[in-house]
Amino acid sequence: MAFRATSRSHGFGPRVRGPLALLAVSALSLALPLRARAYEALVQASVSSQSYQIRDAEGAKLGLQRLDTYLRLFITDLLPEREERSRAKPGAQMHIVMSMRMRADMGTFTRGWDPSSEAHGLDTWVSGAGRPTLELLNAHLAATDIAGFMDFKLGRLFQLDPLDFYGFDGLQARARLPFHLGLELVAGLRNSGHWAIDAPIFLADGTSLSDSRPGAFQPMVGAAVETHGLPWLRLRLAYRSTWHFLAPGDVGSIYPGTTAENVPRVTISEEKLTAYALGSFLGDRVTLYGGIRHNLLFGRLDEAQAGLALRLGRSSQLRAEYVRDQPDFDGDSLFNIFNAVAYQEVRLWYEHRFSARWQAYLRATVRLFGGGEEGLDGEEGEALEPDVGGGVGVHYLGSRLAGRLDLYWQEGYGGRTLG
């Protein structure tokens, strides 16, 4: 019997090298302190459609439709996480937020023989019916917990205070100081309609997109002191001033008898001082709040409010509120030459939550217009004119579907309103 010697290679074949390589990479990743980085991005898109009717100056009904498309972008956690971070102190972080709206208005704005929408008493923006308009509502870079006590926002911003609402392009900085004291500073250019992407909702009352020409910018600065870290108490004192750099012959300016060459290039557009307080007592069962807004430019109290909210059990709430409101217009607006009628209002709400998804409310209001305000000529205003109304609504909020139905009625000063 003959024997033949053979030799075989001791290397690993392809089927063996793959699993071994994966095992080696896994062991190396466990041995080295490597961390994966990732950003969180969220995109939201929504479409809202409205159909309604209004009456023109001659009493004819005009059917209107409005289509709004919203696109929102959120990119969070731009900075890498650190090992020593905890849930109580997450550390500095940066985010990007953007919100845009495409608005289109459609409907029977005009009669066949009259192409002018102004003849029906409609706002001037209706004349652009059917042409979609792109608006940049919000777009900013936010940095939170810088050095453990500071927050920044840079870009297109809007501020929603209890007694103030405005939009601007610039910087907002907040600092959380000791003793539950917070400081806020804002600076930038107020949204004035100068750019095509400006949204009318952020314009000062008494102005429109047609009031601004190239060069008509509105620089703005503001500061506020408020409490922070106290869930049962909120105090806020805020100041804001806006200047208007006018173009010669600006249609939004009021200078009777003055030629365009003599029109001042810089005027004060807004100067406001607001104060607000809110306190919760008895385990949040009782809440008291109130505030005032003083127009320093015209030297008058523009708005005052006071309210009381009572939580009745776990699912019901009763709220009563008093408001006095004087129309507040831009300092360069033509509407300041008229004696705008102030009003007072008493509101009463009752809200009840049937479940986590269903909620309903009842509302009653009593308004009083006028009441002894002095006009520009020194004469006393007209007597109080009453206006009463009410409303009822049902809200549904599900995991994939949300909806609401609101019915309201108002009658008295200014006529009757049903909706």
Side-chain angles (χ1 to χ4, degrees), residues 214-291:
F217 293 101
Q218 295 187 4
M220 183 198 73
V221 296
V225 179
E226 62 182 356
T227 58
H228 75 88
L230 298 175
W232 54 274
L233 178 65
R234 181 188 179 188
L235 302 174
R236 180 177 173 87
L237 179 65
Y239 169 83
R240 181 169 64 89
S241 181
T242 305
W243 295 270
H244 197 170
F245 283 75
L246 303 174
D250 191 334
V251 296
S253 309
I254 309 173
Y255 298 102
T258 304
T259 61
E261 292 76 11
N262 297 325
V263 171
R265 297 298 302 274
V266 181
T267 61
I268 297 180
S269 176
E270 295 174 304
E271 191 174 16
K272 300 179 181 180
L273 181 66
T274 61
Y276 182 79
L278 182 147
S280 297
F281 311 95
L282 302 178
D284 292 337
R285 289 192 294 269
V286 179
T287 301
L288 291 172
Y289 58 93

Side-chain angles (χ1 to χ4, degrees), residues 293-302 326-329 336 340:
R293 184 183 69 199
H294 187 70
N295 192 323
L296 300 176
L297 182 60
F298 296 102
R300 68 189 184 197
L301 188 66
D302 278 350
Q326 176 83 20
D328 182 25
F329 301 111
N336 288 304

Side-chain angles (χ1 to χ4, degrees), residues 113-250:
W113 53 268
D114 184 3
S116 173
S117 62
E118 286 80 1
H120 305 288
L122 302 180
D123 294 335
T124 56
W125 61 264
V126 177
S127 60
R131 295 198 302 266
T133 303
L134 178 63
E135 301 167 353
L136 184 61
L137 305 178
N138 190 19
H140 67 263
L141 174 67
T144 59
D145 293 316
I146 303 299
F149 70 98
M150 298 191 69
D151 301 331
F152 295 93
K153 290 182 180 179
L154 179 63
R156 169 150 291 197
L157 309 169
F158 68 88
Q159 181 78 336
L160 181 59
D161 283 345
L163 298 173
D164 202 4
F165 175 70
Y166 57 92
F168 67 102
D169 299 321
L171 174 68
Q172 179 188 64
R174 291 180 175 177
R176 296 181 295 276
L177 305 178
F179 306 105
H180 299 283
L181 184 65
L183 178 63
E184 177 184 284
L185 298 175
V186 295
L189 297 176
R190 200 192 194 292
N191 293 165
S192 61
H194 176 78
W195 306 107
I197 57 175
D198 287 349
I201 189 176
F202 296 123
L203 302 186
D205 289 341
T207 62
S208 67
L209 294 175
S210 62
D211 285 339
S212 298
R213 296 181 177 181
F217 293 101
Q218 295 187 4
M220 183 198 73
V221 296
V225 179
E226 62 182 356
T227 58
H228 75 88
L230 298 175
W232 54 274
L233 178 65
R234 181 188 179 188
L235 302 174
R236 180 177 173 87
L237 179 65
Y239 169 83
R240 181 169 64 89
S241 181
T242 305
W243 295 270
H244 197 170
F245 283 75
L246 303 174
D250 191 334

Side-chain angles (χ1 to χ4, degrees), residues 59-81:
K61 294 182 180 180
L62 301 178
L64 306 179
Q65 292 86 39
R66 178 168 177 171
L67 186 67
D68 293 324
T69 302
Y70 292 88
L71 179 63
R72 303 176 182 90
L73 172 65
F74 305 89
I75 303 178
T76 61
D77 299 335
L78 296 179
L79 297 181
E81 296 184 357

Side-chain angles (χ1 to χ4, degrees), residues 289-291 303-308 319-325 343-349 366 368:
Y289 58 93
E303 185 172 350
Q305 66 173 233
L308 169 65
R319 183 155 49 106
E321 187 175 85
Y322 167 81
V323 173
R324 183 193 180 279
D325 197 346
Y343 75 90
Q344 304 175 68
E345 180 172 307
V346 177
R347 309 167 181 169
L348 185 64
W349 281 276
V366 176
L368 298 175

